[in-house]
Amino acid sequence: MVDVGWSTVTDSRGRVFNRWDVADSAAGWHVDSDQPGQGGNVVLSGQNNMRGAVFRRLNKLKEGDVAT
């Protein structure tokens, strides 16, 4: 798991906005959410079909499964 936040970017029309960062080949833990294992809301992000596809089998999880 990799710490991720957000970046300020400017698009081709000159519009400025914030975009969540995405970790390559790892699940990203969003630094402004609670830490895993500490209770509260944890925000993780990752790709299911590119950049390592760390969540490619997420749709197969069932209640009670442990994600490692």
Side-chain angles (χ1 to χ4, degrees), residues 48 54-67:
N48 70 339
V54 295
F55 291 130
R56 69 183 160 273
R57 294 187 183 100
L58 188 63
N59 64 326
K60 299 197 184 304
L61 285 178
K62 297 181 184 88
E63 187 175 337
D65 285 351
V66 176

Side-chain angles (χ1 to χ4, degrees), residues 10-57:
T10 304
D11 69 11
S12 61
R13 295 182 180 170
R15 297 176 294 191
V16 177
F17 60 95
N18 292 323
R19 175 179 64 193
W20 287 110
D21 297 331
V22 178
D24 285 324
S25 299
W29 165 67
H30 290 266
V31 296
D32 59 343
S33 70
D34 288 329
Q35 293 189 6
Q38 300 300 309
N41 295 316
V42 177
V43 179
L44 301 175
S45 64
Q47 299 292 329
N48 70 339
N49 63 349
M50 56 189 247
R51 291 180 127 179
V54 295
F55 291 130
R56 69 183 160 273
R57 294 187 183 100

